mmCIF file of all heavy atoms in Angstrom:
data_model
loop_
_atom_site.group_PDB
_atom_site.id
_atom_site.type_symbol
_atom_site.label_atom_id
_atom_site.label_comp_id
_atom_site.label_asym_id
_atom_site.label_seq_id
_atom_site.Cartn_x
_atom_site.Cartn_y
_atom_site.Cartn_z
ATOM 1 N N GLU A 56 199.217 -49.868 74.175
ATOM 2 C CA GLU A 56 198.797 -51.045 73.423
ATOM 3 C C GLU A 56 197.411 -50.886 72.836
ATOM 4 O O GLU A 56 197.113 -51.326 71.726
ATOM 5 C CB GLU A 56 198.820 -52.263 74.304
ATOM 6 C CG GLU A 56 200.220 -52.704 74.687
ATOM 7 C CD GLU A 56 200.246 -54.012 75.523
ATOM 8 O OE1 GLU A 56 199.202 -54.657 75.607
ATOM 9 O OE2 GLU A 56 201.299 -54.347 76.086
ATOM 10 N N ILE A 62 191.721 -51.375 67.972
ATOM 11 C CA ILE A 62 190.466 -51.946 68.400
ATOM 12 C C ILE A 62 189.674 -50.933 69.247
ATOM 13 O O ILE A 62 190.190 -50.359 70.181
ATOM 14 C CB ILE A 62 190.658 -53.217 69.208
ATOM 15 C CG1 ILE A 62 191.501 -54.231 68.423
ATOM 16 C CG2 ILE A 62 189.311 -53.812 69.622
ATOM 17 C CD1 ILE A 62 190.776 -54.741 67.152
ATOM 18 N N ARG A 79 171.596 -69.813 70.305
ATOM 19 C CA ARG A 79 170.890 -68.609 69.869
ATOM 20 C C ARG A 79 171.208 -68.324 68.431
ATOM 21 O O ARG A 79 170.331 -67.947 67.581
ATOM 22 C CB ARG A 79 171.231 -67.425 70.762
ATOM 23 C CG ARG A 79 170.723 -67.620 72.184
ATOM 24 C CD ARG A 79 170.876 -66.353 73.045
ATOM 25 N NE ARG A 79 170.565 -66.616 74.438
ATOM 26 C CZ ARG A 79 170.421 -65.658 75.344
ATOM 27 N NH1 ARG A 79 170.628 -64.388 74.998
ATOM 28 N NH2 ARG A 79 170.102 -65.934 76.608
ATOM 29 N N ALA A 84 169.999 -69.077 62.234
ATOM 30 C CA ALA A 84 170.453 -69.668 60.964
ATOM 31 C C ALA A 84 169.402 -70.691 60.463
ATOM 32 O O ALA A 84 169.130 -70.744 59.288
ATOM 33 C CB ALA A 84 171.798 -70.377 61.175
ATOM 34 N N PHE A 95 168.490 -82.849 58.425
ATOM 35 C CA PHE A 95 169.880 -82.761 58.810
ATOM 36 C C PHE A 95 170.552 -84.166 59.041
ATOM 37 O O PHE A 95 169.943 -84.997 59.678
ATOM 38 C CB PHE A 95 170.031 -81.886 60.066
ATOM 39 C CG PHE A 95 169.833 -80.450 59.804
ATOM 40 C CD1 PHE A 95 168.538 -79.848 59.708
ATOM 41 C CD2 PHE A 95 170.951 -79.610 59.570
ATOM 42 C CE1 PHE A 95 168.360 -78.552 59.420
ATOM 43 C CE2 PHE A 95 170.752 -78.264 59.247
ATOM 44 C CZ PHE A 95 169.502 -77.722 59.161
ATOM 45 N N ALA A 140 187.016 -75.858 59.161
ATOM 46 C CA ALA A 140 187.154 -77.335 59.198
ATOM 47 C C ALA A 140 185.794 -78.012 59.235
ATOM 48 O O ALA A 140 185.581 -79.070 58.558
ATOM 49 C CB ALA A 140 187.967 -77.724 60.439
ATOM 50 N N ASP A 156 170.016 -83.777 53.493
ATOM 51 C CA ASP A 156 170.353 -82.596 52.675
ATOM 52 C C ASP A 156 171.082 -81.450 53.382
ATOM 53 O O ASP A 156 171.417 -80.487 52.769
ATOM 54 C CB ASP A 156 169.088 -82.015 52.047
ATOM 55 C CG ASP A 156 168.569 -82.870 50.931
ATOM 56 O OD1 ASP A 156 169.350 -83.604 50.295
ATOM 57 O OD2 ASP A 156 167.358 -82.899 50.660
ATOM 58 N N VAL A 190 174.149 -73.102 58.197
ATOM 59 C CA VAL A 190 173.431 -74.287 57.687
ATOM 60 C C VAL A 190 174.014 -74.605 56.325
ATOM 61 O O VAL A 190 173.958 -73.793 55.405
ATOM 62 C CB VAL A 190 171.928 -74.030 57.598
ATOM 63 C CG1 VAL A 190 171.261 -75.239 56.892
ATOM 64 C CG2 VAL A 190 171.322 -73.820 58.978
ATOM 65 N N ASP A 235 200.900 -64.716 75.439
ATOM 66 C CA ASP A 235 201.993 -63.795 75.472
ATOM 67 C C ASP A 235 203.154 -64.344 76.324
ATOM 68 O O ASP A 235 204.320 -64.193 75.993
ATOM 69 C CB ASP A 235 201.548 -62.413 76.036
ATOM 70 C CG ASP A 235 202.629 -61.354 75.894
ATOM 71 O OD1 ASP A 235 203.063 -61.127 74.719
ATOM 72 O OD2 ASP A 235 203.057 -60.757 76.882
ATOM 73 N N VAL A 249 218.964 -70.544 71.818
ATOM 74 C CA VAL A 249 218.066 -71.587 71.297
ATOM 75 C C VAL A 249 217.138 -70.976 70.281
ATOM 76 O O VAL A 249 216.339 -70.100 70.646
ATOM 77 C CB VAL A 249 217.277 -72.252 72.456
ATOM 78 C CG1 VAL A 249 216.359 -73.343 71.884
ATOM 79 C CG2 VAL A 249 218.192 -72.843 73.481
ATOM 80 N N PHE A 256 204.433 -67.175 58.729
ATOM 81 C CA PHE A 256 203.047 -67.641 58.603
ATOM 82 C C PHE A 256 202.348 -66.994 57.399
ATOM 83 O O PHE A 256 201.429 -67.614 56.826
ATOM 84 C CB PHE A 256 202.283 -67.321 59.919
ATOM 85 C CG PHE A 256 200.852 -67.830 59.907
ATOM 86 C CD1 PHE A 256 200.636 -69.230 59.954
ATOM 87 C CD2 PHE A 256 199.791 -66.963 59.872
ATOM 88 C CE1 PHE A 256 199.346 -69.706 59.928
ATOM 89 C CE2 PHE A 256 198.478 -67.463 59.855
ATOM 90 C CZ PHE A 256 198.264 -68.887 59.902
ATOM 91 N N PRO A 298 200.176 -60.437 53.021
ATOM 92 C CA PRO A 298 200.441 -61.605 52.204
ATOM 93 C C PRO A 298 199.433 -61.780 51.056
ATOM 94 O O PRO A 298 199.789 -62.385 50.068
ATOM 95 C CB PRO A 298 200.326 -62.762 53.219
ATOM 96 C CG PRO A 298 200.712 -62.133 54.522
ATOM 97 C CD PRO A 298 200.143 -60.763 54.434
ATOM 98 N N LEU A 342 186.021 -64.396 50.084
ATOM 99 C CA LEU A 342 186.952 -65.349 50.601
ATOM 100 C C LEU A 342 187.015 -65.269 52.111
ATOM 101 O O LEU A 342 187.189 -64.196 52.670
ATOM 102 C CB LEU A 342 188.321 -65.083 50.006
ATOM 103 C CG LEU A 342 189.428 -66.100 50.289
ATOM 104 C CD1 LEU A 342 190.296 -66.309 49.085
ATOM 105 C CD2 LEU A 342 190.277 -65.712 51.508
ATOM 106 N N GLY A 345 191.387 -67.618 57.690
ATOM 107 C CA GLY A 345 191.609 -67.712 59.080
ATOM 108 C C GLY A 345 192.854 -68.429 59.431
ATOM 109 O O GLY A 345 193.628 -68.870 58.588
#
Side-chain angles (χ1 to χ4, degrees):
E56 290 183 12
I62 303 296
R79 295 187 185 190
F95 286 82
D156 287 333
V190 173
D235 189 57
V249 179
F256 185 68
L342 188 142

